[in-house]
Amino acid sequence: MIRRLIKRFMAAAQPPQIAQPEAGPVVESAPEPPFTWSPRDVGFHDAVLDGWFLNDSGELLKGFAITPEDTVLDVGCGEGGATMFAVRQGASVIFTDSEHDKVRDLARQVEAQCTRPSLGLVSDSLPLPLADGCASKVMCMEVLEHVDQPEPFMAELVRMGRPGALYLLSVPAPVGEHLQKGIAPANYYQVPNHIQIFTPERFAAMVEDAGLVIEHRQASGFFWVMGMIFFWASEKAAGQDPGGAVRDRIQAPFHPLMQGWARTWHEMLQQPDGLAIKQVLDQFMPKSQVIIARKPLDSGRVS
């Protein structure tokens, strides 16, 4: 890719050539079509390459399959992408968030598509007004970093999974968080945003101390680490304050900085070694770290 960009630059730097009469008319090539993928489109494609949203197998993430027999609890549902994936698999869903508007909007989507019982709750999750063992699958993604007391929060998650329940948990990776600390506005690391930074060791210990058995771990998302840096730069240029719900602001129309990064990443992935390069960068500077864990069959109530 770099060589191709250099060739383009060098070609543009050459003086114009005068066509000789015997060469015939100069035929101009058609312009390249405009790049129409948004940063969120590219980010979704990047996630699919990491094993997310596998519609054919019904796996939200490779190793975390959802079936019509499941009752899925999504704590901190946000925009509802994970909840709606579970709905499309025919599962019953329970979804919670601390923001009323998010729960209301997601409830409308669920009601329009879900044929099984569903429940939406506005709650900060300490505690949730749900019975012990109410869910066979529990999801809590990019939430724990916002929580003042993550260990009691984790215990509450474990309480609501039935024996044998499978958990899908994620938090930001520390490398990307520390990098953004020099670029993001200060309030991004204050309530209600990211007030916890989890090392891989701390994250795993918290999950295991709560009584779960870890089955799978992965880290990925270099695209979004860089994407957030370009987001902060574009927000500052526009004089914007990101406030509390940062990801909600990453919407069309996208700033040219973010759109340009999306195009660069998309083109890189099209190269013969694009996927291998992505995997190296994901390990070098991941955006998120993910754990799939299971509640033991003989587990009692976690207090």
Side-chain angles (χ1 to χ4, degrees), residues 217-268:
R217 297 177 67 176
Q218 73 181 58
S220 58
F222 176 85
F223 169 78
W224 274 117
V225 175
M226 298 303 299
M228 288 305 298
I229 290 172
F230 291 122
F231 171 75
W232 300 129
S234 60
E235 288 284 284
K236 185 175 182 179
Q240 299 286 346
D241 180 355
V246 173
R247 184 168 171 79
D248 294 355
R249 296 179 64 91
I250 306 177
Q251 302 283 355
F254 299 99
H255 192 278
L257 277 174
M258 291 197 70
Q259 193 66 29
W261 167 239
R263 177 168 188 160
T264 296
W265 188 251
H266 177 75
E267 289 186 352
M268 188 280 293

Side-chain angles (χ1 to χ4, degrees), residues 26-179:
V26 177
V27 179
E28 295 185 0
S29 60
E32 292 186 6
F35 181 71
T36 58
W37 282 37
S38 74
R40 298 195 73 157
D41 293 332
V42 174
F44 179 80
H45 176 63
D46 189 74
V48 171
L49 293 176
D50 292 326
W52 290 91
F53 302 104
L54 304 179
N55 291 309
D56 291 344
S57 62
E59 293 169 293
L60 178 57
L61 176 64
K62 186 68 175 176
F64 191 86
I66 298 173
T67 72
E69 289 71 42
D70 280 315
T71 296
V72 177
L73 171 61
D74 187 1
V75 178
C77 59
E79 297 172 328
T83 294
M84 292 309 299
F85 183 90
V87 166
R88 290 192 291 272
Q89 309 316 309
S92 178
V93 295
I94 305 168
F95 48 97
T96 81
D97 201 276
S98 61
E99 297 185 38
H100 178 272
D101 290 352
K102 284 185 168 60
V103 175
R104 178 200 62 203
D105 293 346
L106 181 55
R108 291 170 178 167
Q109 297 181 59
V110 170
E111 184 177 355
Q113 299 187 38
C114 191
T115 59
R116 300 283 308 282
S118 64
L119 175 64
L121 294 171
V122 179
S123 173
D124 64 4
S125 304
L126 278 177
L128 270 173
L130 295 169
D132 295 359
C134 62
S136 58
K137 300 283 166 59
V138 179
M139 308 182 297
C140 184
M141 294 181 285
E142 309 298 296
V143 174
L144 289 160
E145 67 273 14
H146 298 264
V147 178
D148 182 51
Q149 296 180 297
E151 286 78 14
F153 190 104
M154 190 71 222
E156 181 71 353
L157 295 179
V158 174
R159 177 186 71 80
M160 291 177 292
R162 66 188 59 160
L166 201 60
Y167 286 72
L168 179 58
L169 310 164
S170 76
V171 296
V175 175
E177 290 291 273
H178 287 302
L179 174 63

Side-chain angles (χ1 to χ4, degrees), residues 270-290:
Q270 308 310 306
Q271 305 308 305
D273 294 329
L275 183 58
I277 294 170
K278 165 190 155 52
Q279 291 169 345
V280 169
L281 293 173
D282 280 345
Q283 292 302 309
F284 171 69
M285 192 185 298
K287 175 66 172 70
S288 295
Q289 47 186 332
V290 182

